[in-house]
Amino acid sequence: MTSAPLAARLTHVAGPLFFPVTAYGPDGAVDLDAFRAHVRTGIDAGAAAVFACCGTGEFHALTPEEFRLVVAAAVEETAGEVPVVAGAGYGTALAIQYAKLAEEAGADGLLAMPPYLVFADQQGLLAHYTALAAATSLETIVYQRDNAVFTPDTVVALARTPGIIGLKDGYGDLDLMQRIVSAVRTELPGQDFLYFNGLPTAELTGLAYRGIGVTLYSSAVFAFAPDIALAFYRALDSGDDEFANALLDQFYRPLVELRAKGRGYAVSLVKAAVRLEGLEVGEVRTPLTEPPAAHIEELAGIIERGRALLEKYGQARTAPEEPAA
């Protein structure tokens, strides 16, 4: 954990946010060496932050002890170069337990995922995240998706809650997000509340989210093809519409269409892609399943087309420049 507040470190970033997969060995146990190698690859490629043991990292499949070890490994490998944010979920009591484990492991912050299974009202959701934020000193980002969808008034209340610094949107309702952004801006003028595009392949909706002022986003593609992810980030940031649209049309849209062919592909397809890139991180744990060979072959072709576009547009595989202070 570094001394600089997480919110300040995420306000000005020069790349997408990295959500590494959790590596398993042939025996199914967590492989910390492979995980560290995966994290190091992302940092060296220019990751703006490491979000460990979140959705892509199979938070749902990890025991508390495995969770602590993986978060600690991410903290050790980053060595303060970029912030480490750990997932926390389930009901309030367990979410607090995971938050405390993340704090002990040295994480810089939390990504608070939806409560397990139940559909709570706004008052209950607010009470849950308020308790979680108060349980540790870690700054918390609340993840909106599935059974945790908030009204603008609730997000205003979350933004007023000590320790809660932002909202990651995995729901995808732009009308709702615009009203949320507007409500927080109106009720809390001058407060720097962070917003993240957290849809499964956020690049596909990057232009739309930027239209309402949401520029931070998680990139599943960064986990297996950071060169493509960073090239798209630079194109989007610089207004290179021709290159950005080429990647959207020939890489990201086909990837999203392939992802839609299988349950759990937001995780298992990413993990398969990491293996295709040469890092043995194992298969997903049940109840998720591996994509069939035909889908892996299709995935390899999509990645190949993405790389061909980098060559065509002369995009070097380099990390982005540091943002101005």
Side-chain angles (χ1 to χ4, degrees):
M1 182 175 179
T2 59
S3 58
L6 177 64
R9 299 185 77 190
L10 290 178
T11 298
H12 301 289
V13 299
L17 308 174
F18 176 30
F19 285 66
V21 301
T22 297
Y24 307 125
D27 61 353
V30 169
D31 186 338
L32 293 177
D33 289 337
F35 176 74
R36 286 191 183 96
H38 182 39
V39 170
R40 174 47 53 189
T41 297
I43 295 169
D44 290 346
V50 173
F51 283 66
C53 301
C54 296
T56 308
E58 295 180 81
F59 171 79
H60 70 277
L62 300 173
T63 67
E65 178 59 15
E66 289 174 330
F67 170 86
R68 184 186 66 79
L69 290 172
V70 173
V71 174
V75 171
E76 291 166 7
E77 193 60 44
T78 59
E81 293 179 58
V82 297
V84 174
V85 179
Y90 303 122
T92 306
L94 273 177
I96 288 173
Q97 180 181 343
Y98 277 94
K100 290 181 176 179
L101 289 171
E103 186 174 41
E104 291 170 11
D108 296 284
L110 298 173
L111 177 63
M113 292 180 285
Y116 174 71
L117 198 60
V118 296
F119 284 83
D121 60 21
Q122 296 293 296
Q123 182 180 358
L125 289 171
L126 181 58
H128 170 77
Y129 293 109
T130 299
L132 178 58
T136 72
S137 64
L138 300 180
E139 292 175 305
T140 300
I141 300 162
V142 175
Y143 195 177
Q144 169 169 265
R145 58 174 293 173
D146 300 323
N147 58 324
V149 177
F150 309 105
T151 66
D153 286 344
T154 299
V155 178
V156 169
L158 289 170
R160 285 195 173 109
T161 302
I164 295 180
I165 63 168
L167 178 74
K168 179 184 178 185
D169 180 50
Y171 187 58
D173 184 335
L174 285 172
D175 176 89
L176 174 61
M177 277 302 295
Q178 179 64 84
R179 289 185 288 115
I180 285 171
V181 171
S182 176
V184 173
R185 184 170 58 223
T186 302
E187 297 298 322
L188 302 171
Q191 181 164 324
D192 294 325
F193 194 65
L194 301 177
Y195 301 97
F196 305 78
N197 177 356
L199 290 171
T201 305
E203 288 90 344
L204 200 67
T205 53
L207 286 168
Y209 273 81
R210 280 181 174 248
I212 58 172
V214 179
T215 59
L216 292 166
Y217 66 88
S218 55
S219 175
V221 169
F222 191 92
F224 61 87
D227 51 335
I228 298 175
L230 283 167
F232 180 81
Y233 181 92
R234 288 192 292 262
L236 203 64
D237 204 44
S238 66
D240 187 349
D241 293 343
E242 181 183 352
F243 182 41
N245 287 335
L247 283 171
L248 286 171
D249 295 345
Q250 300 177 52
F251 174 76
Y252 283 105
R253 180 171 59 83
L255 180 64
V256 169
E257 290 171 350
L258 175 58
R259 192 192 68 216
K261 293 181 180 180
R263 293 274 190 175
Y265 272 19
V267 179
S268 61
L269 203 67
V270 173
K271 204 162 196 181
V274 174
R275 295 196 302 270
L276 281 174
E277 290 295 294
L279 182 60
E280 188 47 61
V281 290
E283 298 184 349
V284 290
R285 284 180 172 174
T286 55
L288 296 180
T289 56
E290 288 294 310
H295 288 176
I296 300 296
E297 183 178 355
E298 186 176 348
L299 174 62
I302 292 169
I303 296 171
E304 184 178 352
R305 288 200 298 277
R307 295 253 163 78
L309 287 171
L310 300 193
E311 295 295 330
K312 178 180 177 180
Y313 285 86
Q315 297 294 315
R317 299 186 185 187
T318 58
E321 296 179 0
E322 289 296 320

